[in-house]
């Protein structure tokens, strides 16, 4: 009886060791193939899309409200878009933002205080609209 028990234990240990070896070899192959495959670049993983923009007025008095409307393509509903203006050579995000609604449209209001010609755009992540100009008197 001692011999039967011993042989069962040996077979069980041998089967366990073989199973562990096979699993380890399979995992090693999986990791090797994952390391060999090229990873997508960050720009490839971002959603390509587009944004249009239209200003309610092209000329306003300082402090007046301007409504910016447009449509998006390739952006999910609920996405937050922001208004930016160009100051020198740099785009600065303003306090105005909106959420993309059903039908892929958005609408946002902004008060423009800086006098002169304002170049404005709508932005989400790396997707930007064409520039629209509003003159503030």
């Amino acid at each position: 009886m001692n011999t039967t028990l011993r042989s069962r234990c040996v077979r069980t240990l041998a089967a366990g060791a073989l199973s562990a070896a096979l699993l380890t070899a399979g995992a090693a192959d999986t990791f090797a193939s994952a390391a060999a495959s090229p990873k997508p670049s960050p720009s490839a993983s971002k959603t390509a899309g587009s944004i249009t923009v239209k200003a309610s007025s092209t000329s306003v008095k300082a402090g007046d409200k301007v409504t910016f409307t447009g449509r998006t393509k390739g952006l999910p509903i609920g996405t937050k878009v922001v208004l930016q203006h160009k100051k020198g050579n740099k785009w600065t995000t303003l306090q105005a933002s909106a959420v993309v609604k059903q039908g892929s449209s958005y609408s946002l209001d902004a008060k423009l205080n800086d006098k002169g010609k304002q170049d404005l755009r709508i932005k989400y992540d790396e997707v930007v609209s064409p520039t629209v100009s509003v003159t503030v008197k």
Side-chain angles (χ1 to χ4, degrees):
M1 184 162 141
N2 242 355
T3 308
T4 308
L5 183 60
R6 183 178 293 163
S7 64
R8 279 188 187 169
C9 287
V10 169
R11 280 186 290 188
T12 303
L13 286 174
L18 182 60
S19 296
L22 289 173
L23 286 174
T24 305
D29 286 343
T30 302
F31 287 127
S33 65
S37 65
K39 295 182 180 180
S41 65
S43 61
S45 65
K46 295 193 182 208
T47 305
S50 64
I51 304 173
T52 64
V53 64
K54 184 176 181 180
S56 62
S57 181
T58 57
S59 181
V60 296
K61 291 182 182 177
D64 282 355
K65 180 178 78 169
V66 179
T67 302
F68 296 91
T69 57
R71 291 194 170 278
T72 64
K73 187 174 186 180
L75 302 182
I77 295 169
T79 300
K80 181 180 174 184
V81 294
V82 295
L83 179 66
Q84 292 187 321
H85 77 118
K86 193 171 190 179
K87 201 162 202 166
N89 289 329
K90 188 176 178 183
W91 287 98
T92 306
T93 301
L94 300 175
Q95 295 276 330
S97 65
V99 174
V100 177
K101 300 181 287 189
Q102 191 74 28
S104 300
S105 66
Y106 68 90
S107 176
L108 64 88
D109 296 327
K111 286 186 179 181
L112 303 177
N113 296 316
D114 295 342
K115 291 185 177 181
K117 181 182 172 191
Q118 297 282 322
D119 290 327
L120 302 135
R121 72 181 184 182
I122 304 296
K123 182 177 188 214
Y124 166 74
D125 203 17
E126 298 298 317
V127 182
V128 294
S129 71
T131 303
V132 63
S133 295
V134 176
T135 304
V136 181
K137 300 175 189 173

